[in-house]
Amino acid sequence: MQTILGANGQIATELARELQRNYTRDVRLVSRNPRKVNDTDTLVSADLLNPTQTLDAVKGSSIVYFTAGLPPDTRLWEAQFPTMLKNALDACRAAGASFAYFDNTYMYPQDARLLTEETPFAPVGRKGKVRAAMASMVLEEMARGEIPVLIGRAPEFYGPGKTQSFTNALVIEKLQAGKTPRVPVRDDTRRTLIWTPDASRALAALGNAPDAFGQTWHLPCCDDRPTYREFVAMASQVFEREPSHSVISKWALTAVGLFSKPVREIRELLPRYEQDNLFDSTKFKRRFPEFQVTTYREGLELIRRAGGGRSS
């Protein structure tokens, strides 16, 4: 039994497909209101804030993937995320299950250095501090050595379906709607984006590789690292649009944040758009040389073919 905690998000959905496709038909999906991805999935309704429910959801699992998410609300993250993770780790320890933690890069320095698995944490903002504390909790569990533990870390998403990211919302969805893309802060800094199905496939590969445990892994990304200007030009060509865009200045986003809570919640991420974002996934590619990373053009073409072409 392989179990996914936090089973309704984009990463979890693609992960469930990949596990069923290549590793096991015995997949359990856990959330407050889980929905089947594959016909053979087992559904368990549980609140990860409740330790008893979390333990019951994990029992009988060989591998547990933590892909739970929360809305971008700082107080909610501080109040709930560490508790959810602690309950999951405690449950896995009690059940003797391996633990694969899906992580992001909020805890990293927001500068132009090359980010590797050895980069020290230097969080900017309260949400970054929450993610640093959570990653540290997982590393402590890894060091304890009672159960196999790994971290799979991903940079900003772009992808199909309901992928939630700046890039999807401001570039891809704008093009799909026939509108002008918008770029946060600068259009001349290099970006590293991960195609969400690649992130899920990679997490499944790690979870099913015994030698991957006891380590942190950067999930695989295309190394082209286009600027947003280049990415918009490529996407415009794929979606058959005029290659134009506008830049939303940091000042404008800060000003809007005075009146808009959603914008205010993402302001701590803005420094990363002022710098090149160079996320290195060499370690994963060396361990899994057969893994085919989706190029940016391939990803955009897949989105277009799924229904995002020119509208009338």
Side-chain angles (χ1 to χ4, degrees):
M1 174 73 70
Q2 300 199 27
T3 296
I4 303 174
L5 300 181
N8 289 340
Q10 185 77 12
I11 296 298
T13 299
E14 297 287 352
L15 175 60
R17 291 192 182 110
E18 177 67 10
L19 291 175
Q20 197 271 348
R21 187 163 48 230
N22 287 314
Y23 299 99
T24 179
R25 294 180 63 83
D26 199 4
V27 177
R28 179 187 294 162
L29 305 182
V30 179
S31 68
R32 291 183 179 180
N33 299 290
R35 300 184 297 271
K36 279 193 175 185
V37 176
N38 311 295
D39 290 342
T40 57
D41 293 340
T42 300
L43 303 184
V44 174
S45 178
D47 181 353
L48 299 184
L49 292 170
N50 183 306
T52 302
Q53 290 183 23
T54 306
L55 177 59
D56 289 342
V58 163
K59 284 179 180 176
S61 304
S62 58
I63 305 169
V64 173
Y65 303 87
F66 186 93
T67 63
L70 287 172
D73 181 299
T74 297
R75 291 183 180 179
L76 194 65
W77 281 35
E78 291 172 339
Q80 296 188 7
F81 246 153
T83 300
M84 293 162 62
L85 179 58
K86 181 180 185 302
N87 289 343
L89 287 168
D90 289 347
C92 287
R93 200 181 312 113
S98 301
F99 186 79
Y101 176 60
F102 181 72
D103 201 7
N104 67 20
T105 60
Y106 280 35
M107 76 294 295
Y108 280 156
Q110 295 190 20
D111 56 29
R113 77 184 71 184
L114 184 69
L115 300 173
T116 72
E117 290 86 353
E118 305 303 319
T119 299
F121 297 168
V124 175
R126 290 164 62 186
K127 282 190 284 295
K129 291 177 181 177
V130 171
R131 295 303 304 210
M134 292 171 69
S136 296
M137 192 187 307
V138 178
L139 290 170
E140 289 167 5
E141 188 70 40
M142 191 185 295
R144 186 179 290 118
E146 294 183 24
I147 56 172
V149 175
L150 68 81
I151 296 174
R153 184 167 293 142
E156 183 183 336
F157 300 162
Y158 83 107
K162 297 180 180 179
T163 298
Q164 297 183 12
S165 73
F166 271 8
T167 302
N168 268 66
L170 297 178
V171 177
I172 295 170
E173 291 171 17
K174 294 289 187 185
L175 287 169
Q176 288 175 320
K179 299 179 180 179
T180 300
R182 308 182 75 188
V183 171
V185 184
R186 290 179 62 164
D187 66 359
D188 61 345
T189 54
R190 298 163 67 196
R191 318 311 309 157
T192 308
L193 307 174
I194 193 165
W195 176 247
T196 48
D198 283 0
S200 300
R201 289 194 301 120
L203 192 63
L206 289 169
N208 287 277
D211 65 308
F213 287 88
Q215 302 177 65
T216 296
W217 299 84
H218 277 186
L219 301 181
C221 303
C222 178
D223 288 332
D224 288 348
R225 302 190 183 105
T227 65
Y228 261 133
R229 184 186 301 148
E230 293 167 339
F231 185 87
V232 170
M234 185 191 310
S236 298
Q237 186 178 56
V238 168
F239 286 96
E240 300 179 340
R241 306 289 184 189
E242 290 299 319
S244 63
H245 66 278
S246 61
V247 177
I248 313 171
S249 70
K250 184 178 179 181
W251 178 89
L253 287 165
T254 301
V256 172
L258 296 174
F259 310 99
S260 168
K261 187 175 187 296
V263 174
R264 187 161 60 250
E265 287 291 345
I266 55 90
R267 283 188 299 184
E268 70 184 62
L269 303 179
L270 297 182
R272 73 179 181 179
Y273 294 96
E274 295 178 300
Q275 307 279 346
D276 289 343
N277 178 242
L278 308 178
F279 180 89
D280 181 80
S281 50
T282 301
K283 177 181 174 180
F284 181 95
K285 292 167 184 171
R286 286 176 176 164
R287 169 59 183 82
F288 299 92
E290 73 286 356
F291 190 98
Q292 295 295 310
V293 177
T294 304
T295 68
Y296 290 106
R297 182 170 290 277
E298 288 170 343
L300 291 167
E301 290 281 3
L302 287 167
I303 294 172
R304 182 188 62 79
R305 290 202 294 270
R310 177 181 288 277
S311 59
S312 57

